[in-house]
Amino acid sequence: DGGITQSPKYLFRKEGQNVTLSCEQNLNHDAMYWYRQDPGQGLRLIYYSQIVNDFQKGDIAEGYSVSREKKESFPLTVTSAQKNPTAFYLCASSIGTSGAAYEQYFGPGTRLTVT
Amino acid sequence: KNQVEQSPQSLIILEGKNCTLQCNYTVSPFSNLRWYKQDTGRGPVSLTIMTFSENTKSNGRYTATLDADTKQSSLHITASQLSDSASYICVVSAGDYKLSFGAGTTVTVRA
């Protein structure tokens, strides 16, 4: 898992509630990413950030929001607008601003269950 | 549309045996291909990375091959161990931040 931490490991929430997933890295990486993993599917990109105070939508950004106020932190908020939020969420970081040119290191993940 | 297809979806092997996982991709342009190992409930960890000019890359008992002409890659596990039980994910890059992920092959090693 390198120097990336995600908390909590398990998270439960009721429908209609917003919830924030934490992601912190001590690798001094510029770029950070949020992915969603569902059974039988490849990881899908939610949001990414190449530099502090800047972030871009990925393929499935609807119902999610992020912030990048510090280089080491990239929290993800799952809002009540996300229709199917139950999933395994993975945070990643890479040293370079061109993500594909550098390896992405993944955190241990947060499993979110919404009932 | 960039796609990465992995096969088989899952497999069971006896400890000490070898196995090979397949990855076919349609990502274009091609920059590099990575294999990740993901233990249950954990984040993926990189095993190998190969660029266009590389045919083979090894990491201990893991050997990855790449045929850029046919857009196929394989991951061979030699002398499997119980700790090899995991999901193995093929990831292809088109040269930008965006990666294309396969759904993974779940390997179960039985004693």
Side-chain angles (χ1 to χ4, degrees), chain A residues 1 9 37 59 100 103-104 107, chain B residues 38 41-42 46 93 96 98:
Chain A
D1 300 331
K9 187 170 179 63
Q37 188 174 35
D59 298 321
E103 179 178 347
Q104 291 190 18
Chain B
Q38 184 178 22
R42 308 286 291 175
S46 179
S93 166
D96 57 9
K98 195 169 180 180

Side-chain angles (χ1 to χ4, degrees), chain A residues 1 9 35 37 40 42-43 45 48 59 88 90 100 102-104 106-108, chain B residues 32 34 36 38 41-44 46 89 93 95-99 101-103:
Chain A
D1 300 331
K9 187 170 179 63
Y35 292 94
Q37 188 174 35
L43 273 68
L45 183 65
Y48 70 100
D59 298 321
F88 189 54
L90 286 161
Y102 303 95
E103 179 178 347
Q104 291 190 18
F106 287 86
Chain B
N32 58 68
R34 297 177 173 93
Y36 280 87
Q38 184 178 22
R42 308 286 291 175
S46 179
I89 302 172
S93 166
D96 57 9
Y97 70 91
K98 195 169 180 180
L99 305 179
F101 292 82

Side-chain angles (χ1 to χ4, degrees), chain A residues 17-58:
Chain A
Q17 295 177 339
N18 293 351
V19 62
T20 297
L21 282 60
S22 170
C23 177
E24 304 277 333
Q25 54 100 358
N26 61 3
L27 301 170
N28 199 32
H29 285 175
D30 283 319
M32 296 186 74
Y33 313 81
W34 273 106
Y35 292 94
R36 171 183 171 136
Q37 188 174 35
D38 295 285
Q41 297 187 42
L43 273 68
R44 291 181 290 169
L45 183 65
I46 303 172
Y47 268 98
Y48 70 100
S49 169
Q50 294 183 320
I51 198 169
V52 174
N53 292 324
D54 183 62
F55 49 83
Q56 305 295 329
K57 292 181 178 180

